Amino acid sequence: MLCGRRILLIIGGGIAAYKSLELIRAIRAEGGAVTPVLTAGGAAFVTPMSVSALAGAHVHTSLWDLTTEAEIGHIGLARAADLVVVCPATADLLARMAAGLADDLATTLLLATGTPVVAVPAMNVHMWDHPATRANVDTLRARGVTILEPDVGPMACGEHGPGRLPEVPAIMQALRTVLGRGGRLAGLHALVTAGPTHEPIDPVRYLANRSSGRQGFAIAGALATLGARVTLVAGPVALATPAGVCRVDVGTAREMLEAVDQALPADLAVMVAAVADWHVRPSAAKLKKDSGPPTLHLAANPDILAHVAQPGPRRPRLVVGFAAETDNLAAHARAKLARKGCDLIVANDVSGDVMGGSENEVLLVSAEGETALPRGPKAEVAARLVELFAERLGV
Ligand code: C5P
């Protein structure tokens, strides 16, 4: 999935440029974001208006665009992407890339970026077969650029052979593969819950807790960085979705359970959410203060962690729960491990400033024993935790 991924799409000047519009739609349909760049040649085949409308973003065309330069600068544009895609990559664009030219916005970005580059060539069969193009392709591949093989078939110029732009699903698959490449968790699906749940009392009031969702979001991001496909089921929080993460927003515990069920199967589940233990049957009308304090009849919420950890074919290989405790951390965590049926409990002491704060200090409890992790920012704790999860998964 390209969910949450930022793609810088450079559209070169070839007849296949119109297919890049379809690619933009496919990337966005998977939740990816596209920043489009049109070369002068590209703009001769597709209009900036079409590209911008489909991408839902400003289209960049010139190195000398003062507005862009004032806002982020072209180097910033190169950095703010998870992947650069050149589609179509014409013979000329490949030659300029191979030569290291920076004579327009596209080639300047390609020189300035440190992110992986995928080039999708499309050109006349003789141009593709020409020794100059072959040499340029070899040079670029040796530098780590992923260059797709063009399709074989009839071409717009009337010839037949290799040179056609690959079909969009094939391009999409290549983008997914490159984005997840190299990570320990590549090919695995991770399910994460985060944040509080809100249990409505009436249309304006609800029961909730202090969870900010930060630790869960950091874990979701760390899992994506290791190459996992991540589904993050988030309660109501004011946090940006980490790059590469597919987010499903929910309100109540029962909605969270439903979203979790829909996201399964998963290889690993990390239940970080501070799920409300109880809900009330909400009043359809706002409760009036004049009627006196209401009596709330609380009913238990489903235990999502215990549900996911139940033995069976849909059980993830690794199920991790969290325990927010104010005393007897290790003892409570061990009891929870058994009660919930999970493989690991990440216990934290919430008697201080952890809940809603930016730092955390956790104790990892499994059937084999306990490991204390040093206190640190939640992102660091997340990075350490996911490495330990990967170890437990044996990857
Ligand atoms: O039962 P307790 O709330 O102490 O357990 C905490 C762990 O269980 C956390 O991992 C939390 O996400 C999970 N949980 C859950 N559904 C609930 C209550 C807790 O998934 N209803």
Side-chain angles (χ1 to χ4, degrees), residues 214-223 225 357-360 375-387:
R214 283 201 198 144
Q215 188 63 78
F217 272 57
I219 287 174
L223 288 164
T225 307
S358 59
E359 293 208 331
N360 203 358
R375 186 182 172 94
K378 286 182 175 173
E380 261 171 39
V381 172
R384 284 213 168 87
L385 283 174
V386 299
E387 290 289 349

Side-chain angles (χ1 to χ4, degrees), residues 3-15:
C3 202
R5 301 293 187 149
R6 299 157 304 169
I7 313 284
L8 183 79
L9 176 64
I10 294 171
I11 303 172
I15 182 65

Side-chain angles (χ1 to χ4, degrees), residues 1-222:
M1 291 288 282
L2 297 182
C3 202
R5 301 293 187 149
R6 299 157 304 169
I7 313 284
L8 183 79
L9 176 64
I10 294 171
I11 303 172
I15 182 65
Y18 74 93
K19 290 192 188 165
S20 65
L21 300 179
E22 215 185 305
L23 181 63
I24 293 174
R25 294 187 68 156
I27 293 170
R28 295 194 72 204
E30 269 198 23
V34 178
T35 301
V37 173
L38 261 182
T39 65
F45 288 93
V46 287
T47 69
M49 180 71 87
S50 311
V51 173
S52 170
L54 283 171
H58 178 67
V59 54
H60 302 273
T61 51
S62 167
L63 198 48
W64 315 114
D65 180 346
L66 282 178
T67 315
T68 302
E69 211 47 48
E71 278 168 16
I72 37 172
H74 55 264
I75 302 295
L77 210 53
R79 286 205 195 109
D82 299 305
L83 186 67
V84 178
V85 180
V86 186
C87 179
T90 59
D92 173 66
L93 198 41
L94 290 173
R96 288 189 293 134
M97 285 167 74
L101 294 186
D103 57 352
D104 66 2
L105 178 62
T107 47
T108 303
L109 293 176
L110 284 159
L111 267 192
T113 191
T115 50
V117 177
V118 176
V120 194
M123 66 195 72
N124 167 273
V125 55
H126 300 298
M127 292 170 87
W128 176 248
D129 282 339
H130 195 283
T133 307
R134 310 270 16 108
N136 291 333
V137 166
D138 289 346
T139 302
L140 291 168
R141 281 191 172 140
R143 285 186 202 144
V145 176
T146 300
I147 302 191
L148 271 59
E149 282 299 317
D151 274 358
V152 178
M155 312 193 51
C157 54
E159 306 223 37
H160 192 283
R164 283 168 59 92
L165 194 85
E167 294 303 322
V168 169
I171 301 173
M172 290 292 287
Q173 190 48 46
L175 306 194
R176 285 186 211 107
T177 308
V178 173
L179 277 168
R181 183 178 289 164
R184 282 179 90 176
L185 297 176
L188 299 186
H189 179 208
L191 170 60
V192 180
T193 64
T197 62
H198 284 185
E199 309 297 334
I201 296 169
D202 69 11
V204 297
R205 303 179 177 95
Y206 55 83
L207 297 173
N209 58 62
R210 290 186 191 282
S211 168
S212 66
R214 283 201 198 144
Q215 188 63 78
F217 272 57
I219 287 174

Side-chain angles (χ1 to χ4, degrees), residues 193 253 271-277 301-306 320-325 336 339-340:
T193 64
M271 309 278 101
V272 197
V275 184
D277 291 311
N301 269 333
D303 193 310
I304 304 166
L305 172 59
V320 183
F322 269 63
E325 305 291 348
K336 200 160 289 184
R339 196 167 69 242
K340 305 266 188 175

